[in-house]
Amino acid sequence: LIVTTSLLGRVWCGYACPQTVFLEGVFRRVARLFEGPREARIRRDRAPLTLDGALRKGAKHVLYVGLCLLLAHTFLAYFVPVEELLGWLGGSPGAHWTAFLWVVAMAALLYFDVAWFREQVCLVVCPYGRFQSALIDDDTVVIGYDVLRGEPRSRPSEQGGDCVDCRRCVVVCPTGIDIRNGLQMECVGCSSCVDACDEVMARLGRAPGLIR
C-alpha cells in the first residue's frame, strides 16, 4: 500500500494533477506566447511599464479570463446536459441565475489561481507533498542532484565539479526550490530542472544526468 500510494502520488503531482496540467500545459504557454520566457517576463516586470508591456499583459489576461470561463462552463457541463447548457449561453442570465453564479464564481476562482496564487496551491493547499514526505524510502524514484559529481561548484574554465552554479535549475522550478539542496516537500516532480541542467551540460560538452 505504501509503495502504491507513493508511486501514484508522484505520478499525480507531476503529470496528472489538474493544477499542474492546466498551469504548465495551458496558462504558462499563454504567458510565454505573449511575454516570452520567464527571464524576459521578470525583466519586463521590474522595468517601468510601457505601452508594449501593457498590451502584452492585457492580451494575456484577456485570454486567461476566456480560458477560465471555458473551464468553468466545462465543469458545469458535468451537471447540466450540454444541449441545455448551450441553449442557456444564448439566453439571459436571469433565466438561470444559479448556474450563472456558479460559472462566475468558478471562473473567478480559477483566474485567481492561475493569475496570482499558482504554485502556492502546491505549497499551501495540496496535501500530497506532506504525504510524500512521510512515504519516501531508499527505493523511491525521485529527482535528485548528483552531489559527488557536481561538487565543488566551479566555473566552466576552472577545475572542480560539473555544476557551474548557473542556477538554471532554480530558475525553471515552478515552486522555486533549489534541487541541489536535496529533495524538498515542494518538489512536484515536473523534471524541469533535469531538462534545464541537461541543456547546460550539452553546451559545456559534459555528460547529462547531473540532475536526474
Side-chain angles (χ1 to χ4, degrees):
L1 178 61
I2 290 177
V3 172
T4 303
T5 306
S6 179
L7 178 60
L8 290 177
R10 182 59 59 184
V11 171
W12 171 264
C13 289
Y15 303 102
C17 168
Q19 171 76 7
T20 302
V21 169
F22 284 114
L23 190 58
E24 296 294 333
V26 179
F27 290 95
R28 285 202 193 282
R29 292 178 183 235
V30 172
R32 287 193 289 268
L33 174 65
F34 287 104
E35 297 188 281
R38 184 175 185 269
E39 297 87 342
R41 296 198 301 271
I42 292 174
R43 286 196 301 269
R44 189 175 288 111
D45 289 340
R46 291 175 178 173
L49 185 63
T50 62
L51 177 61
D52 178 68
L55 290 175
R56 288 175 180 273
K57 284 186 178 296
K60 179 187 75 172
H61 284 282
V62 166
L63 190 51
Y64 274 9
V65 171
L67 289 170
C68 290
L69 286 170
L70 177 63
L71 290 173
H73 280 89
T74 302
F75 180 76
L76 185 63
Y78 279 97
F79 306 96
V80 177
V82 175
E83 296 79 6
E84 186 175 350
L85 180 59
L86 291 175
W88 288 359
L89 292 176
S92 170
H96 41 81
W97 271 110
T98 303
F100 175 74
L101 292 176
W102 268 107
V103 166
V104 170
M106 286 187 292
L109 183 62
L110 284 169
Y111 178 75
F112 169 76
D113 176 23
V114 300
W116 184 76
F117 204 57
R118 297 194 165 205
E119 287 80 19
Q120 297 303 310
V121 172
C122 306
L123 306 181
V124 179
V125 180
C126 181
Y128 266 103
R130 278 77 177 170
F131 290 160
Q132 289 303 304
S133 299
L135 294 171
I136 284 176
D137 59 21
D138 291 338
D139 297 318
T140 302
V141 178
V142 297
I143 295 173
Y145 166 66
D146 191 337
V147 178
L148 295 178
R149 176 184 158 188
E151 302 296 327
R153 301 169 194 175
S154 58
R155 295 180 180 179
S157 59
E158 299 174 347
Q159 292 294 326
D162 278 353
C163 179
V164 295
D165 203 19
C166 64
R167 294 185 61 83
R168 283 290 301 163
C169 55
V170 181
V171 169
V172 301
C173 178
T175 57
I177 65 172
D178 189 341
I179 196 65
R180 297 172 299 177
N181 294 333
L183 184 65
Q184 293 145 74
M185 182 183 66
E186 295 83 359
C187 179
V188 296
C190 68
S191 73
S192 295
C193 56
V194 175
D195 296 335
C197 186
D198 283 350
E199 289 177 4
V200 174
M201 292 296 106
R203 288 201 298 269
L204 296 176
R206 300 177 182 178
L210 180 58
I211 301 175
R212 60 183 184 273

